[in-house]
Amino acid sequence: MVNASSGDSEKYRLAYQVFLDRILNYLGAYLLKLFGSSATGSAPELHGLVFSGGIGERSSQLRADVGNYLKWLKCEVDEERNQEGPKPDVDGGVKEVTKTESGVRMFVCLTDEEIQTANMALNALRKSKLID
């Protein structure tokens, strides 16, 4: 538990702002490459953003903040959906957290990196004929 009077909350707030800034820098560079080039000859589109992993899955605030910065792309986060997040037994682990009319769709995708890594290792071992 963080004691607000201890000054810790200011450190956490600063750490969050730095983290958000890094995400936005990455996203901004991606969007510049996507929308800044006409080399493909067709109009580029941002179909959606996927949040996964510990922070992406659990931080509705982070998703709301990123969505807020994407309002220029007509991104509209649905507060209720965003707060709920996905449920593996109901949504199959993937849930859209933007409104139906949103210009950019945002999703939360539950992940299990340990299981995925184990499955990839198992497949590699089977292909190499080290195990049946």
Side-chain angles (χ1 to χ4, degrees), residues 9-19:
S9 62
E10 186 59 34
K11 287 191 279 187
Y12 294 128
R13 192 176 1 269
L14 177 60
Y16 176 80
Q17 290 300 323
V18 169
F19 182 68

Side-chain angles (χ1 to χ4, degrees), residues 31 35 67-75:
L31 292 172
F35 293 120
N68 191 45
Y69 276 94
L70 294 175
K71 282 187 175 182
W72 64 278
L73 289 172
K74 307 218 182 328
C75 183

Side-chain angles (χ1 to χ4, degrees), residues 54-112:
I55 297 170
E57 290 175 21
R58 295 181 189 93
S59 180
S60 60
Q61 182 64 53
L62 179 68
R63 297 188 301 266
D65 287 343
V66 170
N68 191 45
Y69 276 94
L70 294 175
K71 282 187 175 182
W72 64 278
L73 289 172
K74 307 218 182 328
C75 183
E76 295 183 56
V77 175
D78 183 305
E79 289 183 35
E80 187 176 324
R81 285 182 185 173
N82 189 34
Q83 285 296 325
E84 289 173 359
K87 297 172 183 64
D89 53 337
V90 176
D91 308 305
V94 178
K95 183 170 193 169
E96 183 171 1
V97 295
T98 44
K99 295 179 180 179
T100 307
E101 64 274 9
S102 182
V104 173
R105 299 173 72 189
M106 290 178 22
F107 299 88
V108 181
C109 179
L110 298 178
T111 56
D112 188 337

Side-chain angles (χ1 to χ4, degrees), residues 17-28:
Q17 290 300 323
V18 169
F19 182 68
L20 177 61
D21 186 64
R22 288 185 178 171
I23 291 172
L24 295 173
N25 285 336
Y26 178 83
L27 188 55

